[in-house]
Amino acid sequence: NAGVTQTPKFRVLKTGQSMTLLCAQDMNHEYMYWYRQDPGMGLRLIHYSVGEGTTAKGEVPDGYNVSRLKKQNFLLGLESAAPSQTSVYFCASRDPRGFPEAFFGQGTRLTVV
Amino acid sequence: EDQVTQSPEALRLQEGESSSLNCSYTVSGLRGLFWYRQDPGKGPEFLFTLYSAGEEKEKERLKATLTKKESFLHITAPKPEDSATYLCAVQGSSNTGKLIFGQGTTLQVKP
């Protein structure tokens, strides 16, 4: 039982480059989330999805785009990376119909130089 | 707008020295308050869910309580292995599915 898997685990980007972070869950959860975590800032919600084909903005959506084409996958895109996007990114999923808690991936450490 | 504030930001305790972490929240129609533990380099792990004022949950040395404005995570006789960052999150009824976290409290327990 893999749970929530994030790919890649580490990445270094140059300013202006683009990339996509992949989150995959095998628990058939409806809700999925992307957070970023910076020192002293806790987890800040970037975007989230309440079901296949849906997305919504969180607290800090600027500079990011997301897609949820399949229920098990939630993609986070950076079209033109900036140093301010250096952070650790976490994906989470949950199913409010069952246990309400969110399950997290192990994180992606992204550095933009 | 949903908001979560945790205090203190950092807490150092001696082994066996009990204390409490605070999570103050502002939310429209609380549907759930969650406590998580996060170890360095890892994703958060679920500890407790609380739904209504007066509710309490316990797990080993941890006890979570809830009022209408805040939640406390009480740590009784902590051990060094309790050292971690503790995160609080809320889901309100005004934003379906939205889960908002506080900035966390980093706990260090010295032997």
Side-chain angles (χ1 to χ4, degrees):
Chain A
N1 186 1
V4 178
T5 303
Q6 293 182 229
T7 308
K9 290 184 172 53
F10 303 93
R11 184 74 185 267
V12 178
L13 282 180
K14 293 183 178 179
T15 298
Q17 286 185 320
S18 64
M19 77 165 294
T20 299
L21 282 67
L22 171 64
C23 177
Q25 52 98 0
D26 61 1
M27 297 172 282
N28 202 36
H29 286 170
E30 288 292 335
Y31 294 177
M32 295 188 74
Y33 306 82
W34 275 109
Y35 292 91
R36 61 176 289 173
Q37 188 171 39
D38 303 294
M41 301 292 290
L43 288 166
R44 291 186 291 170
L45 182 62
I46 304 171
H47 287 280
Y48 65 105
S49 168
V50 296
E52 182 178 308
T54 76
T55 62
K57 293 181 180 180
E59 303 168 281
V60 289
D62 293 342
Y64 305 95
N65 56 76
V66 288
S67 63
R68 184 101 181 265
L69 299 179
K70 295 182 179 180
K71 187 177 183 179
Q72 64 268 33
N73 295 336
F74 196 28
L75 278 62
L76 178 70
L78 286 74
E79 291 186 350
S80 180
S84 61
Q85 294 178 304
T86 293
S87 187
V88 180
Y89 292 84
F90 286 100
C91 175
S93 72
R94 59 193 284 253
D95 187 350
R97 297 169 298 180
F99 293 104
E101 67 269 24
F103 294 83
F104 283 82
Q106 289 301 295
T108 295
R109 184 173 294 275
L110 175 66
T111 302
V112 182
V113 297
Chain B
E1 183 177 335
D2 299 345
Q3 201 165 14
V4 180
T5 303
Q6 292 186 245
S7 62
E9 289 188 12
L11 182 62
R12 292 183 179 181
L13 299 174
Q14 289 296 129
E15 185 173 2
E17 179 185 3
S18 300
S19 188
S20 297
L21 282 56
N22 177 264
C23 171
S24 297
Y25 63 91
T26 303
V27 66
S28 298
L30 181 71
R31 295 191 66 183
L33 185 141
F34 307 88
W35 282 98
Y36 287 82
R37 169 190 172 127
Q38 185 177 25
D39 294 304
K42 296 188 176 182
E45 290 187 355
F46 171 75
L47 291 173
F48 304 109
T49 306
L50 300 167
Y51 293 102
S52 58
E55 189 174 0
E56 298 182 351
K57 295 269 180 80
E58 285 189 69
K59 180 180 180 180
E60 296 181 353
R61 296 175 292 281
L62 301 177
K63 179 180 178 180
T65 63
L66 182 65
T67 72
K68 289 186 177 180
K69 294 183 178 181
E70 56 192 351
S71 177
F72 292 94
L73 184 65
H74 306 278
I75 303 176
T76 302
K79 298 181 178 181
E81 53 262 42
D82 294 322
S83 298
T85 295
Y86 291 87
L87 297 162
C88 172
V90 297
Q91 181 187 347
S93 61
S94 61
N95 293 291
T96 304
K98 200 171 184 180
L99 196 60
I100 300 298
F101 280 81
Q103 73 272 37
T105 294
T106 299
L107 173 66
Q108 184 180 23
V109 182
K110 294 187 174 182

